[in-house]
Amino acid sequence: MKDKIYVSTRNSSETASASEAVTRGLAPDGGLYVPTFIDDVRFDLNALKDLSYPELAKAVLSEFLDFTPEQIDACIEGAYQSGRFDIDSLVRTVPTSFGGILELHHGPTAAFKDMALTILPFLMTTAAKNCGEDRNIAILTATSGDTGKAALEGFKDVPGTKILVYYPKDGVSPVQEAQMNTTGGANTRVIGVDGNFDDTQTGVKQIFGDTALADSISQAGWTFSSANSINIGRLLPQIVYYFYSYFDLVRQGRIELGDLVNFSVPTGNFGDILAGYYAKLTGLPVNRLICASNSNNVLTDFFESGQYDRNRDFYRTISPSMDILISSNLERLLFDKLGRDSESVVQLMDRLSEEGVYSADRGLFPEFYAGFADEAETKAVIRRVYDTEAELIDPHTAVAEKVREDYAAQTEDATPTIVLSTASPYKFARPVYEAVFGDAPFGTDDFEIQDSLYDGTHRVIPEPLTGLRDKEIRHSGVCAPDGMADAAAAFLTEE
Ligand SMILES: *Cc1c(COP(=O)(O)O)cnc(C)c1O
């Protein structure tokens, strides 16, 4: 086994240890860290198949991190064994006619982001210690809704850290906004940005590239890092549930160990599905990874034509966590598929930032299928799954299910397929209610609709979402995209 060395997608000689990669978030040259050693990692399915989720997480993370076994145990215990999930198994795969629905939303904020963001603060503080970083860590996060709350809960009151979340002011659901703006903790701040998610994410990346700002906050004892999926420490924990769900299907007698499965993944920033790709690279028998988008279908076009073109209308949809036109983690896939040649990646990323367009050979991605669902299709699927599988799914999950159906119809591939369910339907109660019951009564707010949805379906409202409306609003700041850096500087220098 070689050393666990990571390189930047934009400069192959820009190397970092695992601990350095997790501490920094983004590489100094603006690239994303990727493991150089992934071809040497090969998980033994037989050895892993009966492990609990925390045990499996230990097996997976040990291969990718330079932590001691005791350090890994402590991270896993803090995140996964401290009673923060509402089911003992942490995740579960509900059997369906086509394979299963993998529920990833049983954590403290009722979204799949919890799978990684409950553990990231432990990984980051451990990594910082390992590489002798003695400055405090300022987490900057751009969110399309779910990352923000999950990161706030993860880093809230963690010593030696502050967390600042930026969200597109009119681009998240009312429940998501209430979840974020009611967050307590002495080290948290939430700011609405007058722009969309791409403006917000670009603003955060610019702050990371601002060396003058980095110097001035460093003098005040701070260094920036990221809780977005550009941080490899966000991605690695997500590999675990692909394996876990596969073993669920084995346990359910649906497949034999070694059989192929497909995964259908509701995709925004391409982090979740990239973790599935890493699972495949490291030995999980995956046939196809189905990349499901909403009307912001830049990835569908990319996988079909090879051309990535962000110059298009931006839609606000009922699956807002996927309202993204610049999918950051695609850069990691490109790096892998272009022979791990950073110069080719730089050329494409320069074209993306200058012209908004680049092209790659569409034949490079045989293990991916891509499709999208519009708003009406998404709602129709929520209704159909409720009627036929008795499952109440959220709009993001519905997008993945719709594209799975299209894939099955188009290819006649009968491989069992696991649809990733990424959020509780109660986070998006209005569209879910409307899908199942028709128009919501005039004048009702989103919290009243949660109650109506409960009355109609008797599905339990997750604990983190109850009582939100009565909580005190603690954050209400707003800034323009070009005011984001000043807001960060102010937050870090105040007492
Ligand atoms: C973040 C998110 C997604 C998209 O995941 P990516 O890793 O950004 O592709 C899908 N669904 C929900 C509910 C999310 O919060």
Side-chain angles (χ1 to χ4, degrees), residues 436-460:
V436 179
F437 299 108
D439 282 349
F442 184 75
T444 42
D445 72 22
D446 279 57
F447 298 108
E448 290 164 329
I449 293 179
Q450 281 185 342
D451 293 340
S452 309
L453 188 59
Y454 175 79
D455 292 340
T457 65
H458 295 285
R459 301 306 148 101
V460 179

Side-chain angles (χ1 to χ4, degrees), residues 373-444:
D374 67 22
E375 302 292 272
E377 290 168 332
T378 304
K379 283 188 173 173
V381 166
I382 293 173
R383 176 67 196 256
R384 187 158 68 242
V385 170
Y386 184 66
D387 288 343
T388 61
E389 309 274 357
E391 287 299 312
L392 191 65
I393 59 173
D394 99 293
H396 304 78
T397 309
V399 166
E401 167 55 12
K402 170 69 171 91
V403 179
R404 181 203 67 76
E405 289 170 11
D406 291 347
Y407 168 78
Q410 225 177 68
T411 61
E412 296 181 20
D413 175 13
T415 306
T417 300
I418 296 169
V419 170
L420 273 60
S421 176
T422 48
S424 161
Y426 284 104
K427 281 195 102 159
F428 307 95
R430 184 179 296 269
V432 172
Y433 180 91
E434 288 174 356
V436 179
F437 299 108
D439 282 349
F442 184 75
T444 42

Side-chain angles (χ1 to χ4, degrees), residues 110-113 144-147 176 229 234-235 238 241 265-274 299 319 321-322 324 327 329 394 396-397 421-424 427-428:
F112 96 99
K113 302 287 196 298
S144 55
D146 287 337
T147 293
Q176 289 177 316
S229 54
R234 254 289 290 279
L235 284 181
Q238 298 186 175
Y241 51 72
V265 188
T267 297
N269 226 354
F270 209 74
D272 198 2
I273 195 166
L274 188 78
L299 288 168
S319 47
S321 300
M322 296 153 67
I324 292 176
S327 296
N329 279 293
D394 99 293
H396 304 78
T397 309
S421 176
T422 48
S424 161
K427 281 195 102 159
F428 307 95

Side-chain angles (χ1 to χ4, degrees), residues 75 298 337 394 443 463:
C75 292
V298 62
K337 292 293 192 178
D394 99 293
E463 202 271 329

